[in-house]
């Protein structure tokens, strides 16, 4: 299959404030994701971008939602998603000139959930409100060391588009960049196997503090037990010496009566 006609599956993450949702939004459509819903799920939405089918998994705001606090539920939902889909790219949406502290941890959140093996699949999509903002992207990066470092961690892969995501030319450029990511990864995708490895590693790291805490409790208990034993030994020795003094006194008094 020609790579440029290949169907794609992408995960879009970041802050929803960087996007204007609406019927003209080619990539994400009109609806903001309901990440706090009780029936939260990750279901790809099929979009037609310049004649190509793109399945979009919209997880904008997931890292800030209450549902994220329930890691077991999130793990189940992500595992179910990856059992049915392989991900070609993860698109980190950031708004130009509106870089926040929450945005700084966005990539860290993704890596904590999906593991370090996710990084070769990540790119940044900078959105703008005014077209002239797009012309200063390079200067913005150079003037913001944190943002520049973030981009470096994403392999310097980025594109720009309007917040409304309604420009076909910009969307074609985005798909071309995703095709390049697929090519760089030798047609490999992010899979359930990679996620399972990351989940197991995360679980092991989380269990280590508990194990250390239990070890400290055991050591404290053992020390306490040893202290009790030592105190008991001292008490027993004191009693023995007191009894010996009594026996010696009785013996001496008895012996003196014969002198």
């Amino acid at each position: 299959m020609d790579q440029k006609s290949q169907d794609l599956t992408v995960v879009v993450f970041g802050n929803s404030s960087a996007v204007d949702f609406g019927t003209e939004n080619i990539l994400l459509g009109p609806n903001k994701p309901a990440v706090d819903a009780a029936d939260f799920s990750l279901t790809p939405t099929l979009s037609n971008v310049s004649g190509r089918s793109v399945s979009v998994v919209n997880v904008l705001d997931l890292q800030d939602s209450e549902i994220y606090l329930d890691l077991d539920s999130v793990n189940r939902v992500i595992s179910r998603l990856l059992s049915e889909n392989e991900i070609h790219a993860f698109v980190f949406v950031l708004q130009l000139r509106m870089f926040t502290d929450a945005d700084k941890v966005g990539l860290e959140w993704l890596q904590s959930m999906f593991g370090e093996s996710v990084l070769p699949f990540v790119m940044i999509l900078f959105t703008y409100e005014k077209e002239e903002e797009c012309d200063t992207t390079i200067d913005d990066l150079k003037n913001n060391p944190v943002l520049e470092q973030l981009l470096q961690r994403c392999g310097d892969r980025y594109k720009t588009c309007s917040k409304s995501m309604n420009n076909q030319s910009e969307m074609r450029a985005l798909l071309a960049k995703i095709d390049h990511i697929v090519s760089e990864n030798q047609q490999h995708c992010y899979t359930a196997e990679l996620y399972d490895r990351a989940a197991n590693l995360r679980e092991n790291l989380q269990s280590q503090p508990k194990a250390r805490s239990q070890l400290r409790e055991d050591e404290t208990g053992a020390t306490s037990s040893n202290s009790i034993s030592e105190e008991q030994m001292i008490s027993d020795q004191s009693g023995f010496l007191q009894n010996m003094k009594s026996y010696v006194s009785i013996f001496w008094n008895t012996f003196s009566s014969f002198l």
Side-chain angles (χ1 to χ4, degrees), residues 6 10 17 22 30 44 62 67 71 73 79 87 96 150 156 192-193 213:
Q6 177 184 9
V10 300
S17 63
L62 179 58
I67 189 68
L71 284 178
S73 295
S79 295
I87 310 301
L96 284 171
L150 188 67
D156 291 321
E193 181 181 359
S213 177

Side-chain angles (χ1 to χ4, degrees), residues 190-226:
Y190 186 90
T191 63
E193 181 181 359
L194 293 176
Y195 181 75
D196 288 342
R197 291 178 190 171
N200 290 334
L201 178 60
R202 184 171 63 250
E203 185 177 343
N204 290 336
L205 291 174
Q206 289 173 344
S207 66
Q208 285 180 7
K210 296 179 182 178
R212 286 195 294 266
S213 177
Q214 183 62 47
L215 180 59
R216 284 195 296 268
E217 291 178 5
D218 292 343
E219 290 174 344
T220 302
T223 302
S224 176
S225 175
N226 290 337

Side-chain angles (χ1 to χ4, degrees), residues 250-259:
I250 293 171
F251 175 78
W252 178 253
N253 291 335
T254 302
F255 179 74
S256 298
S257 65
F258 290 100
L259 295 178

Side-chain angles (χ1 to χ4, degrees), residues 44 86 118 135:
E86 294 185 342
V118 76
D135 299 331

Side-chain angles (χ1 to χ4, degrees), residues 19 23 41 43-44 82 90 94 99 105 111 147 165 171 176 182 195 204 207 218 240-241 259:
V19 177
T23 55
S41 63
T43 304
L82 291 171
F90 291 75
L94 295 174
F99 190 60
V105 299
Q111 188 174 339
L147 191 56
M165 298 184 175
M171 291 297 102
V182 174
Y195 181 75
N204 290 336
S207 66
D218 292 343
F240 174 75
L241 292 174
L259 295 178

